[in-house]
Amino acid sequence: LTWRGGEPLPAPPTRGCWLLPASDLAALAIARQREQLAALGWRLLTCAPRLVSALSNKLRFRELAASRGLLAHLPRHFLTPADATFPCVLKAAVGEFGRHVHILRTREEAELRWDVALRWQQRRGRRGGGADADDAAEAADEEEGWLLQELIAGRVEHSASLLVVDGAIVGAVVTEYTYAADEYVWPHVREIKEQRVSHSVLPPTHRAVMAALLAGFSGMCNVNYKVR
């Protein structure tokens, strides 16, 4: 399906067919229009749109982790380039597949990128007019910004695809990818494919952190992470 929200809604090929998202945008659209989609006959596994948004927006994800006492499991956050250690990473709050992600190796480079990012954010902030309460809530869900954080080096990256029901992880497939560089922005790096490994073993410590982050969530969730 190419549907990513709005009208017309997609019709299920047969009543009771599952509608599962393959992107952050589709996941949020399903959460927002779940009642209408269910009325058409789709089977859904989703939850409150604000929680779905918080898990896909990098700034709101950090706020969620902080509210649940889990910041120690995330890369260090820097308020400005003056606070950063190098190399570090500048990321747009909203985006997938390495879009608007930059490795910064010097303070001069960071200050230049940071200034450009803030000007871009200010221009976007001036868009639009008066919004009602629903529009304001939706805008908060989709708030864009930039995150400056520690670069975690290492060639092995874990990708856990999780099936979650009411915060409980009921299924997991973990893939370990090995890349040809210690510092990279995926997908702009070569994978050493013969070293790729997939399994269903999610270590208890990893599972506990993920379950705490996903409290209240229902749906499919992909967690990409490195082990220090």
Side-chain angles (χ1 to χ4, degrees):
L1 293 176
T2 59
W3 180 79
R4 296 294 182 272
E7 304 288 343
L9 295 172
T14 58
R15 193 167 186 85
C17 182
W18 284 98
L19 180 61
L20 300 174
S23 70
D24 291 343
L25 189 60
L28 189 53
I30 290 172
R32 284 176 173 159
Q33 297 180 267
R34 58 192 183 278
E35 292 182 2
Q36 301 97 307
L37 290 166
L40 285 177
W42 286 106
R43 295 183 70 185
L44 306 172
L45 183 61
T46 187
C47 58
R50 292 300 298 271
L51 181 53
V52 175
S53 176
L55 292 170
S56 60
N57 181 303
K58 299 175 185 67
L59 282 172
R60 296 198 62 214
F61 178 74
R62 185 177 182 277
E63 294 171 357
L64 178 68
S67 71
R68 297 180 176 183
L70 298 168
L71 274 185
H73 300 284
L74 271 58
R76 284 179 295 153
H77 175 253
F78 308 119
L79 292 176
T80 69
D83 303 319
T85 57
F86 297 91
C88 62
V89 181
L90 179 65
K91 299 179 177 181
V94 177
E96 300 173 285
F97 305 109
R99 182 170 175 264
H100 297 315
V101 179
H102 309 280
I103 295 178
L104 308 176
R105 302 192 178 281
T106 67
R107 179 157 297 167
E108 292 75 19
E109 181 185 12
E111 289 173 347
L112 177 62
R113 286 280 190 184
W114 185 254
D115 185 57
V116 170
L118 291 183
R119 290 203 304 271
W120 178 84
Q121 183 176 346
Q122 289 166 359
R123 287 197 300 272
R124 289 185 64 86
R126 288 194 291 268
R127 287 183 181 178
D132 60 21
D134 290 337
D135 291 335
E138 183 167 314
D141 279 347
E142 295 176 344
E143 176 187 1
E144 295 193 22
W146 294 84
L147 185 70
L148 189 63
Q149 67 180 38
E150 173 189 11
L151 172 66
I152 305 297
R155 299 192 174 204
V156 178
E157 185 167 336
H158 302 253
S159 178
S161 297
L162 309 175
L163 175 60
V164 185
V165 179
D166 293 330
I169 299 172
V170 298
V173 175
V174 182
T175 301
E176 298 175 20
Y177 298 95
T178 301
Y179 297 104
D182 289 310
E183 300 172 357
Y184 58 87
V185 173
W186 185 87
H188 310 296
V189 62
R190 182 175 65 86
E191 181 194 350
I192 305 174
K193 292 186 178 181
E194 59 269 23
Q195 295 186 24
R196 185 189 297 181
V197 178
S198 293
H199 52 81
S200 60
V201 179
L202 189 61
T205 53
H206 298 188
R207 180 183 289 269
V209 172
M210 293 178 195
L213 278 169
L214 295 169
F217 176 78
S218 290
M220 302 291 295
C221 182
N222 192 70
V223 181
N224 296 317
Y225 64 101
K226 289 184 177 179
V227 178
R228 294 182 186 270

